[in-house]
Amino acid sequence: LTDEVVTLTGTGTPYFLDALTGDIEQAGEYVDNGDGTISIVLHRLNAGCCKIVVITKNTTKFPAPDVYVVSVNADRADYDIVRVDGKLMLRSAVAGDYAVTLSDGREKTVTISENGKTVDLSNNDTHLVIDSYGPTYPNASDMIDDRGIQTVDPSATTITKVDFGGMPLTNWEAISATPGQLSKMGVASMKDVSGKGYYTLTFDWNGSDAYLMLGYGNDQVTGVTVNGTEVTAIDNMTDKIDLGGMLKAGKNTIEIELSSTLAGRATVESDVLSDGGLNFGGTTYKDNGLSSAKLVSYEDVSI
């Protein structure tokens, strides 16, 4: 769903329950239709994502019900209604005046002062360190005693750290590794590497709030730190991370931890998988690495 109105059966106050963080928040924009249904605006609910909505009259264990937005004279794609520290805010990257009608009958004009900007960090000089995961005993299947019992743990893993220095963001397979680096990891090609990538991006910024938009393969982003502060909630289904309140004017540093699948290395080490590797939806499951990073700024204005 993209900026859709969903009508649900129920009476009372609608709340969003965040299954990732455990947060409970009253919906910011909705209409009580007076017929036992409530129409709620869902902004940019991407494929694979979900939104848990609770409609209740008993709010004793929920945040106290507060005023909310019932209408905005703008395309729903141009704004979000959010609550920041309990305050009702209009968030947008599109400059202009927004006429907002509240549930208590008040009408307000909210002004977004300037259009947001998108800054592509993909070609910046990004420092990359990879922890390559490989078998401690590559020939474990041959390491048996005279009774035919394996003498080592075939699942034992050795982690080898390799520093690739600074480079633009790219798929791991496209990295120009030296023969020494490949030998150290125990692989013939970068497409066979599995493990964790640690990326450090340093850049100048104007201090405005922004979303971090990431592009990558069959990996998962498992950690993001901004100027020394860890982002506590990362939703891998959206590839979009809110950095509101974390960026500053001047030089900023973002550290990103990315975890690959083990498919790349598994195709090298396993006879069963050596004919092409693990498949997901008919596609070889080996596309690893952070390929893009963009900042998309926005402005929050109190309603």
Side-chain angles (χ1 to χ4, degrees):
L1 297 175
T2 302
D3 308 304
E4 295 290 339
V5 176
V6 176
T7 299
L8 304 175
T9 300
T11 57
T13 303
Y15 292 89
F16 295 134
L17 275 60
D18 192 322
L20 182 65
T21 64
D23 292 339
I24 300 174
E25 182 179 90
Q26 181 187 354
E29 182 179 8
Y30 60 93
V31 175
D32 186 334
N33 298 310
D35 60 358
T37 66
I38 290 179
S39 297
I40 304 176
V41 176
L42 296 180
H43 286 285
R44 288 180 276 282
L45 187 59
N46 295 325
C49 296
C50 69
K51 201 81 162 179
I52 302 174
V53 182
V54 171
I55 300 175
T56 181
K57 291 181 178 179
N58 183 2
T59 62
T60 55
K61 294 186 178 181
F62 291 80
D66 201 352
V67 67
Y68 55 91
V69 172
V70 295
S71 69
V72 180
N73 73 329
D75 189 320
R76 281 191 290 270
D78 289 345
Y79 72 92
D80 288 326
I81 301 297
V82 298
R83 295 184 187 273
V84 179
D85 297 328
K87 296 179 180 179
L88 197 61
M89 314 283 280
L90 186 143
R91 174 175 295 176
S92 180
V94 180
D97 293 330
Y98 294 76
V100 178
T101 302
L102 298 171
S103 56
D104 58 9
R106 288 179 296 160
E107 295 184 353
K108 290 191 171 185
T109 298
V110 176
T111 300
I112 299 296
S113 59
E114 60 183 19
N115 290 321
K117 65 175 183 177
T118 298
V119 176
D120 193 343
L121 305 175
S122 306
N123 291 319
N124 285 30
D125 194 40
T126 301
H127 188 242
L128 171 62
V129 175
I130 292 179
D131 279 351
S132 175
Y133 283 49
T136 302
Y137 307 103
N139 299 316
S141 60
D142 299 326
M143 301 175 74
I144 57 176
D145 60 21
D146 54 7
R147 298 169 297 170
I149 298 176
Q150 202 163 38
T151 59
V152 297
D153 180 1
S155 66
T157 302
T158 294
I159 301 174
T160 303
K161 187 179 297 291
V162 178
D163 190 333
F164 288 92
M167 66 179 70
L169 295 178
T170 187
N171 186 283
W172 286 2
E173 187 174 355
I175 294 174
S176 299
T178 66
Q181 289 171 328
L182 294 173
S183 176
K184 185 177 180 180
M185 292 184 288
V187 296
S189 167
M190 283 300 296
K191 69 182 178 64
D192 299 326
V193 174
S194 293
K196 290 187 176 183
Y198 301 92
Y199 297 82
T200 303
L201 300 84
T202 301
F203 56 93
D204 289 322
W205 188 245
N206 63 3
S208 61
D209 291 330
Y211 291 110
L212 175 63
M213 312 295 291
L214 299 175
Y216 48 92
N218 297 310
D219 324 86
Q220 285 198 333
V221 173
T222 49
V224 175
T225 301
V226 182
N227 297 322
T229 300
E230 182 181 2
V231 178
T232 56
I234 300 172
D235 184 352
N236 280 285
M237 298 305 297
T238 66
D239 308 325
K240 175 181 176 181
I241 301 170
D242 186 4
L243 303 186
M246 305 184 78
L247 297 169
K248 60 185 180 180
K251 195 168 293 296
N252 290 260
T253 299
I254 296 179
E255 298 166 89
I256 301 168
E257 177 185 294
L258 177 142
S259 297
S260 81
T261 70
L262 291 176
R265 192 59 182 262
T267 58
V268 176
E269 304 298 339
S270 172
D271 293 338
V272 176
L273 302 174
S274 60
D275 61 349
L278 299 172
N279 288 323
F280 182 77
T283 302
T284 302
Y285 206 63
K286 285 174 129 178
D287 188 17
N288 297 327
L290 188 64
S291 56
S292 68
K294 297 178 181 180
L295 287 174
V296 181
S297 67
Y298 63 81
E299 184 177 352
D300 280 346
V301 178
S302 179
I303 299 175

